[in-house]
């Protein structure tokens, strides 16, 4: 594939009957360099493939899922391109949590466009993930933009659900691993949405999957896997709130409580192939 001159190849490796690449570019949305990974399975010349976006959780970069997600074999078998962006802007001058906490600032962009100083200049992750990076992907990879799915873990599960609900028609399928299902009602979300968007909780509802559904946003169906031994389940994740909203709205939700599984990539990798098959069925 010929690379756009704006895209730098950090690494490229043969893997699972395809190519695992890592790329860097200068982002206009965030005003920083951004790094992301893309797996492209082998395919016939000229073929356009469906793609699945994977949004990572707090403290993560593209590296976590790329190294530990165990997605490549399933993607090769299903003919899916797999794209993993970063979770926040990074670099000199990018503001971070004042106390250096893990759940706000660097590695914790929450997939929103911040409106509050000093974060508004760089923390524009919704624009980055839904507009800027897709345009770069289309220019450089053999993707069929009419066949996009989105998934993610924890903060990234929140991102997958909210972006699918906020951008109807952009994603044909959506799933999540242990998502922050109602960020407006839990400490992680209250801190992040308050810090990025300000104190008006009504504005937070536009970035809260449970609230978006309550307020009329719709998707065709949702798959969620959640470990019942997840240490964040009761306080931060609250899948029962999403389930209630989906039931009231008539959105088919497959919520699978997985016995004994925690919040880690051991859990994610175990059910990754199930999620990719879910997306492939809806992107075929």
């Amino acid at each position: 594939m010929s690379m756009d001159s704006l895209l730098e190849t950090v690494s490229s490796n043969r893997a699972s009957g395809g190519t695992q690449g890592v790329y860097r570019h200068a982002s206009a949305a965030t005003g920083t360099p951004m790094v992301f990974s893309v797996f492209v399975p082998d395919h016939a010349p000229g073929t356009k493939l469906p793609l699945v976006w994977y949004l990572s959780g707090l403290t993560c970069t593209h590296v976590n899922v790329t190294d530990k997600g165990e997605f490549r074999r399933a993607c090769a078998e299903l003919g899916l391109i797999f794209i993993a962006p970063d979770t926040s802007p990074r670099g000199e001058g990018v503001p971070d949590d004042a106390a250096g906490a893990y759940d706000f600032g660097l590695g914790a962009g929450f997939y929103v466009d911040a409106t509050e100083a000093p974060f508004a200049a760089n923390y524009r992750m919704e624009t980055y993930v839904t507009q800027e990076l897709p345009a770069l992907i289309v220019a450089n990879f053999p993707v069929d933009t009419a066949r996009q799915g989105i998934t993610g873990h924890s903060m990234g599960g929140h991102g997958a659900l909210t972006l699918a609900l906020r951008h109807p028609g952009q994603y044909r399928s959506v799933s999540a691993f242990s998502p922050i299902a109602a960020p407006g009602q839990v400490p992680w979300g209250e801190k992040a949405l308050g810090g990025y968007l300000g104190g008006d909780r009504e504005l937070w509802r536009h970035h809260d999957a449970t609230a978006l559904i309550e307020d009329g946003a719709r998707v065709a169906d949702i798959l969620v896997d959640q470990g019942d031994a997840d240490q964040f389940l009761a306080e931060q994740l609250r899948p029962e709130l999403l389930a209630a909203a989906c039931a009231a709205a008539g959105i088919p939700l497959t919520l699978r409580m997985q016995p004994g599984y925690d919040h880690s990539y051991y859990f994610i990798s175990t059910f990754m192939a199930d999620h990719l098959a879910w997306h492939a069925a809806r992107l075929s």
Side-chain angles (χ1 to χ4, degrees), residues 55-119:
L55 305 184
S56 298
L58 290 165
T59 76
C60 291
T61 69
H62 72 280
V63 172
N64 304 71
V65 71
T66 307
D67 286 359
K68 297 188 279 192
E70 298 184 22
F71 56 85
R72 279 175 286 268
R73 186 178 301 278
C75 283
E77 291 171 357
L78 296 165
L80 295 173
I81 289 176
F82 188 98
I83 303 172
D86 203 347
T87 53
S88 78
R90 300 176 193 273
E92 193 176 340
V94 176
D96 194 7
D97 183 83
Y102 74 93
D103 56 0
F104 187 78
L106 297 181
F110 263 79
Y111 305 101
V112 301
D113 286 354
T115 56
E116 296 297 295
F119 303 99

